[in-house]
Amino acid sequence: MTASLDQLRRCHFAVDLGAARSRVYIKGAGLVVDQPSVAAVNTRTGALIAVGELAERMTGRTPDYIRVVRPVSGGSVVDIEMAQRMLRQLIGDKMRRTLRRKPFLRGAACTPHDADPLARRATIETLVGLGARRVELVDTLIAAAVGCELPVERPEATMVMVCGAAATQLAVLSLGSIVTAQRVPVGGEAVDHAIVQHLRLRHDLQLPSQSVRPLQVALSGNGLTAQGPAFTDIHGRDVATGLARSVRVNTAAVRDAIQTPLTAVLDGVGKVLRECPPDLVADLADRGIVMVGGSALLPGLDQMLRQATGMPVHIAERPDVCAIEGLGAMLEGRIQPLELHTLTG
């Protein structure tokens, strides 16, 4: 970890390209971009019309010649050129000119734990398109753990769960490295899909794409637990007639639909704990699990994990920005690694 930290201290900016949001941290300026990973393109001219929040509001509301695209999917860049154009607009001309003044511009980026070489190369190419001469890749799990100020450099177990839009990543960390890790292809998008499918099959109701998240908020109170609201009024479009319709939905049935995809997350937690050395599991019994990522805020998810594992479960103070803040801390040199010296004699 020492060598990589030395390289990261030389970097000038860091990028966290997520399926839901993209974030950019610039050394000395802090977090300058935190916007949805969305771009709107005019298909007739190829011109970029909007990026970020404005482009996200256009989803499902555009004429035929305007296409809303997401250049990042599943935690990996799937359209390098569009990702570069999106980031250039999000960063802005003024900040880009500041970066271009660097004689040897270096960048850093988060990558999923099990990212294949093609996905890593796509991330590197995206930052090279922004002018970076060298790109350092950091595991998202380590960056997130550093961002929520976990003592990852100590010889003690730390378990972190990164709840992303496309996947959930879990790891046990010790001495600045990953002891065991697991990636589950279930995230916030899978929960959204479960809600949409439940309402379509049970109530013949089609939800607008922008209303899935408010529906999850409507379940709060106690969210996934039985103490939540008994019924919720949902507005959408009738599948058969195409007309606007409002239905009164039993939230207990919606909670059951949400819990189905989250079973895979619980299985992932169990697998990580089974592969972890007993001494580290003993540490986790006291420390518990720390949840980061935007989907960590799903109402009641922490309670469900607590009941299923019997371990303490904590949500980071700002779970959505932990990964990029961790990269920023490495860039700024705020992380001091544990020095391990070779013994001779």
Side-chain angles (χ1 to χ4, degrees):
M1 190 170 179
T2 305
S4 61
L5 279 176
D6 289 340
Q7 295 291 338
L8 286 169
R9 290 192 186 102
R10 301 174 188 174
C11 293
H12 303 98
F13 72 102
V15 175
D16 178 16
L17 284 169
R21 300 183 74 86
S22 293
R23 300 175 176 92
V24 179
Y25 186 104
I26 294 182
K27 193 173 184 178
L31 184 62
V32 298
V33 173
D34 184 1
Q35 293 280 342
S37 303
V38 188
V41 184
N42 187 327
T43 57
R44 295 174 181 172
T45 64
L48 201 62
I49 296 175
V51 295
E53 292 180 353
L54 179 57
E56 187 175 50
R57 291 200 299 269
M58 292 181 179
T59 304
R61 303 172 184 270
T62 60
D64 293 339
Y65 66 91
I66 296 178
R67 186 165 58 99
V68 178
V69 298
R70 293 181 177 272
V72 184
S73 178
S76 301
V77 178
V78 294
D79 188 336
I80 296 175
E81 181 183 357
M82 188 56 63
Q84 291 173 349
R85 296 175 66 185
M86 180 187 72
L87 285 175
R88 289 191 196 106
Q89 291 297 321
L90 291 175
I91 294 174
D93 293 337
K94 182 178 179 181
M95 199 60 68
R96 281 166 54 203
R97 283 195 297 268
T98 302
L99 290 176
R100 282 200 298 265
R101 295 193 188 105
K102 308 295 182 183
F104 192 87
L105 185 63
R106 295 171 179 256
C110 289
T111 56
H113 173 67
D114 59 349
D116 56 63
L118 187 60
R120 292 173 177 267
R121 187 64 188 175
T123 302
I124 293 173
E125 289 293 335
T126 301
L127 268 65
V128 168
L130 297 178
R133 303 286 297 278
R134 182 184 175 91
V135 178
E136 303 291 339
L137 299 180
V138 179
D139 196 303
T140 301
L141 290 163
I142 294 179
V146 171
C148 55
E149 299 181 354
L150 294 178
V152 294
E153 75 282 357
R154 298 178 185 174
E156 302 169 1
T158 300
M159 187 169 184
V160 63
M161 175 186 289
V162 180
C163 305
T168 300
Q169 302 177 69
L170 309 104
V172 175
L173 309 175
S174 180
L175 289 174
S177 300
I178 295 175
V179 178
T180 178
Q182 184 74 18
R183 183 179 185 271
V184 182
V186 173
E189 292 176 352
V191 174
D192 294 346
H193 181 71
I195 294 175
V196 169
Q197 288 298 105
H198 170 79
L199 294 176
R200 186 182 182 92
L201 295 175
R202 295 290 184 89
H203 301 279
D204 294 326
L205 192 73
Q206 185 174 359
L207 282 182
S209 59
Q210 304 289 340
S211 65
V212 178
R213 292 294 178 180
L215 176 58
Q216 293 181 5
V217 175
L219 294 175
S220 62
N222 291 295
L224 301 179
T225 63
Q227 289 75 32
F231 294 94
T232 302
D233 292 325
I234 305 298
H235 306 283
R237 187 179 71 177
D238 190 279
V239 173
T241 65
L243 300 177
R245 186 160 67 92
S246 177
V247 297
R248 195 167 181 80
V249 177
N250 184 346
T251 54
V254 178
R255 285 194 293 269
D256 290 339
I258 290 176
Q259 287 180 349
T260 300
L262 294 180
T263 303
V265 177
L266 297 178
D267 293 341
V269 174
K271 186 173 182 180
V272 167
L273 293 176
R274 286 194 299 271
E275 295 177 354
C276 189
D279 291 342
L280 296 182
V281 174
D283 291 344
L284 295 176
D286 298 327
R287 292 177 174 271
I289 305 171
V290 178
M291 298 173 60
V292 302
S295 298
L297 298 173
L298 182 65
L301 177 57
D302 57 331
Q303 299 178 34
M304 190 183 75
L305 286 172
R306 195 175 295 115
Q307 293 172 1
T309 62
M311 297 168 56
V313 179
H314 313 283
I315 300 177
E317 185 176 351
R318 296 185 63 194
D320 52 336
V321 296
C322 281
I324 191 65
E325 290 291 349
L327 275 181
M330 296 177 191
L331 262 63
E332 304 284 1
R334 296 196 296 266
I335 306 301
Q336 297 299 325
L338 179 67
E339 298 288 349
L340 296 177
H341 299 286
T342 303
L343 298 179
T344 59

